[in-house]
Amino acid sequence: REAGCLSIIVLGASGDLAKKKTFPALFHLFQQGFLQENDVHIFGYARTKLSDDDLRERIRGYLGKVVSTENVEILSKFLQLIKYVSGSYDSEEGFQLLDMQVSEHETSKNSQPGTSRRLFYLALPPSVYPSVCTMIRRHCMNQSDLGGWTRIVVEKPFGKDLESAEDLSAQLGELFDEKQLYRIDHYLGKELVQNLLVLRFANRFFMPLWNRDNIDNIQIVFREDFGTEGRGGYFDEYGIIRDIIQNHLLQVLCLVAMEKPVSLKPEHIRDEKVKVLQSVLPIKPEEVVLGQYEGYKNDPTVSDSSNTPTFATAVLRIHNERWEGVPFILKAGKALNSRKAEIRVQFKDVPGDIFKSKKQGRNEFVIRLQPSEAMYMKLTVKKPGLQMSTIQSELDLSYGLRYQDVKIPEAYERLILDTIRGDQQHFVRRDELRVAWEIFTPLLHSIDEGQLKPISYKPGSRGPAEADELLAKAGYVQTHGY
Ligand code: BG6
């Protein structure tokens, strides 16, 4: 059966996330032909009173700066697809009006009843999820009996700890089926994160080495070279563990550490992710270092006595046959010396080393998620020349050089397209979310209760020196390049 027309409804349309991520992603999908003019309509919904044109101009103001001149016309066409409805997030009338507008669009496209597709994107704070979802359920569902559907995309933070997350899951679970809920973790949309399964399970090189016999330690690192910048109020309530580690870095850990799924079916992949999370042991407070950058509390929206970490390093240990004894070091920080996200897999020393190359460093395999996507292997080679000595060098696959003609899509672009296609592989399932919270909740509670305190560090630095000490204790050996 032909699918009916598509309505994409962005709730929180006047906010920052919608402006910076959702609308640009929709535009890029439109530009590449994944959203068709004769089929799709985009609705913005928010409390602010705006006309259709006001919203369009806001989006143009942001996108106009990044769109090249030859695409200005496409941008205008895209903007014409956007309509705006204003209303509050718990208003029956607001959502009835929204439903009317969406239905009008469907009728104008001659969509057969029951075949139309409605995608609700909640670019909103989670506090309003329950009321918004109740309103959608009450007023805006299409009948999905003839191949049409209603899908809901939600953004983190999904709660603040295990209990609040479970509450939220239960509330949404009463309104929608798990099949209709798409919990976004945008790290799952990044090119080199999506490459992890291919790398691990389509290459003979890695399969026999990817275990405790060969790997000494694994680091998953996120750094930003700017502070909380205008998001102090939100951030102070959540901190770096809830903002980055419990979701983005833990998702990466799953893909690095999980067993091979039975197939590429989303449920098979998510089953393996849950299993590896279930094998994570409780985090030991002595294997955690927290930091807060100097000046963080100068932000008027941040409390003067804030104990919130803007930096954290935590060692996770996986209790299973593959990984016992291998520390997974998760590290994230704001206002550091660089912006980078990478996975560093460090191998054990060569046994019976006859070259005395050990002091130069170990084999290391690095996957740089951003900026400048790359994978490189640090390895020991003979120093070119007459003498027999060794140096550390690299086998380097830099995407910018190797795949010059490919524009790497933005994470949001890919994930929204997955939502339209109904592919949940790169979205977080409810049970996965629960285990992720189980792992971090005791640690988060002890931070909230002031039992663990952040160490102050200078903005633009590597973070507290104690984190490097923890790293060394966990077994990481600094290598020296050529
Ligand atoms: C978001 C966090 O989820 O990810 C932000 O809330 C962070 O604090 C951002 O800046 C980083 O995303 P990316 O894709 O730039 O690494």
Side-chain angles (χ1 to χ4, degrees):
R1 185 184 301 276
E2 279 284 291
C5 67
L6 174 65
S7 302
I8 300 176
I9 302 116
V10 181
L11 298 128
S14 57
D16 225 40
L17 177 71
K19 180 174 79 179
K20 293 188 179 151
K21 298 288 183 194
T22 324
F23 286 118
L26 291 173
F27 170 66
H28 290 127
L29 289 175
F30 178 72
Q31 193 182 14
Q32 294 165 81
F34 290 109
L35 301 178
Q36 300 285 338
E37 228 173 322
N38 54 4
D39 175 52
V40 70
H41 229 105
I42 300 169
F43 297 86
Y45 184 95
R47 283 175 308 191
T48 324
K49 292 250 173 296
L50 295 176
S51 66
D52 293 350
D53 280 339
D54 291 337
L55 178 65
R56 290 172 187 154
E57 284 320 303
R58 276 187 186 214
I59 300 169
R60 192 199 296 278
Y62 186 77
L63 266 175
K65 290 189 211 116
V66 290
V67 165
S68 55
T69 35
E70 69 265 28
N71 287 324
V72 170
E73 211 178 299
I74 304 184
L75 178 58
S76 297
K77 277 195 187 148
F78 169 73
L79 293 173
Q80 284 315 307
L81 299 176
I82 303 178
K83 277 186 168 302
Y84 184 73
V85 180
S86 116
S88 65
Y89 297 120
D90 55 1
S91 141
E92 311 275 346
E93 303 81 58
F95 281 83
Q96 279 161 350
L97 186 64
L98 179 63
D99 181 62
M100 253 166 55
Q101 299 260 355
V102 175
S103 303
E104 257 171 44
H105 156 65
E106 289 166 355
T107 318
S108 74
K109 298 289 171 201
N110 288 328
S111 249
Q112 296 302 314
T115 63
S116 57
R117 298 166 292 157
R118 294 184 175 190
L119 177 65
F120 290 87
Y121 192 110
L122 274 59
L124 289 168
S127 53
V128 298
Y129 288 176
S131 70
V132 167
C133 287
T134 308
M135 290 300 135
I136 295 173
R137 176 84 230 177
R138 209 172 276 165
H139 301 293
C140 304
M141 300 291 288
N142 65 346
Q143 300 88 31
S144 52
D145 50 338
L146 292 172
W149 46 250
T150 303
R151 293 182 185 144
I152 314 286
V153 183
V154 282
E155 279 276 346
K156 69 153 198 4
F158 309 115
K160 287 193 77 178
D161 60 5
L162 178 60
E163 201 188 333
S164 51
E166 280 288 274
D167 269 2
L168 184 61
S169 292
Q171 291 184 56
L172 301 193
E174 298 226 322
L175 298 164
F176 299 104
D177 237 38
E178 186 62 23
K179 282 256 163 288
Q180 295 175 297
L181 286 171
Y182 287 71
R183 295 180 197 85
I184 278 209
D185 183 312
H186 79 282
Y187 265 60
L188 293 177
K190 291 191 188 276
E191 184 68 38
L192 284 201
V193 175
Q194 298 207 336
N195 185 49
L196 283 168
L197 286 195
V198 181
L199 192 74
R200 287 192 53 204
F201 302 120
N203 290 293
R204 192 70 195 232
F205 276 141
F206 296 107
M207 287 176 212
L209 295 183
W210 212 257
N211 55 43
R212 64 193 298 269
D213 299 334
N214 300 289
I215 292 175
D216 190 89
N217 62 77
I218 297 185
Q219 278 186 73
I220 304 174
V221 184
F222 166 96
R223 306 164 183 277
E224 259 175 1
D225 53 1
F226 49 89
T228 52
E229 288 181 356
R231 296 169 75 227
Y234 149 79
F235 192 87
D236 201 43
E237 231 190 283
Y238 288 89
I240 197 80
I241 297 178
R242 293 183 178 96
D243 191 46
I244 304 287
I245 299 183
Q246 182 268 358
N247 33 72
H248 302 329
L249 300 195
L250 197 63
Q251 285 295 323
V252 173
L253 176 142
C254 285
L255 297 169
V256 170
M258 68 187 233
E259 295 301 315
K260 189 173 182 167
V262 176
S263 78
L264 289 177
K265 287 202 180 112
E267 293 323 320
H268 288 157
I269 292 173
R270 299 195 298 177
D271 287 346
E272 292 307 330
K273 286 168 74 189
V274 172
K275 279 191 220 159
V276 76
L277 288 176
Q278 284 168 333
S279 312
V280 173
L281 295 173
I283 301 170
K284 296 194 189 123
E286 62 274 21
E287 291 203 306
V288 176
V289 171
L290 305 176
Q292 188 186 76
Y293 66 84
E294 284 170 20
Y296 168 70
K297 288 188 268 202
N298 294 344
D299 181 331
T301 57
V302 169
S303 129
D304 290 342
S305 58
S306 170
N307 199 27
T308 302
T310 59
F311 173 99
T313 299
V315 179
L316 266 59
R317 298 190 178 265
I318 300 175
H319 182 66
N320 68 13
E321 197 175 328
R322 186 185 290 275
W323 295 119
E324 170 133 14
V326 181
F328 282 76
I329 306 152
L330 306 192
K331 179 158 127 187
K334 298 233 168 217
L336 296 178
N337 54 350
S338 60
R339 175 171 179 263
K340 199 186 264 187
E342 64 182 13
I343 305 163
R344 300 188 84 90
V345 181
Q346 188 168 76
F347 288 83
K348 289 184 190 283
D349 291 331
V350 172
D353 172 27
I354 55 172
F355 293 104
K356 310 272 181 290
S357 61
K358 192 171 151 184
K359 61 180 183 320
Q360 288 171 348
R362 293 165 158 175
N363 285 164
E364 217 173 326
F365 177 50
V366 184
I367 301 166
R368 189 164 64 226
L369 308 179
Q370 65 190 37
S372 316
E373 292 83 351
M375 291 188 271
Y376 57 94
M377 271 177 188
K378 292 189 146 197
L379 71 180
T380 304
V381 299
K382 177 187 161 308
K383 184 171 182 177
L386 283 177
Q387 275 148 10
M388 177 44 105
S389 56
T390 59
I391 47 164
Q392 277 276 313
S393 197
E394 279 138 31
L395 269 177
D396 187 350
L397 173 57
S398 285
Y399 276 41
L401 294 174
R402 184 69 178 78
Y403 304 115
Q404 288 181 6
D405 310 336
V406 183
K407 179 196 156 286
I408 295 188
E410 272 284 312
Y412 277 93
E413 228 171 288
R414 222 190 283 260
L415 294 175
I416 293 176
L417 191 58
D418 282 350
T419 324
I420 297 169
R421 291 173 169 164
D423 181 349
Q424 289 189 308
Q425 172 180 336
H426 303 295
F427 294 83
V428 182
R429 204 167 67 185
R430 181 173 171 176
D431 52 348
E432 219 177 317
L433 181 67
R434 185 180 57 241
V435 199
W437 278 117
E438 270 167 13
I439 294 170
F440 282 98
T441 295
L443 173 64
L444 288 165
H445 282 174
S446 47
I447 299 170
D448 294 346
E449 288 156 15
Q451 288 157 20
L452 282 178
K453 293 219 187 298
I455 303 162
S456 170
Y457 63 93
K458 291 229 173 313
S461 70
R462 287 175 50 80
E466 286 81 347
D468 286 334
E469 289 160 21
L470 177 63
L471 219 69
K473 243 196 254 164
Y476 180 72
V477 176
Q478 190 73 43
T479 59
H480 303 283
Y482 177 58

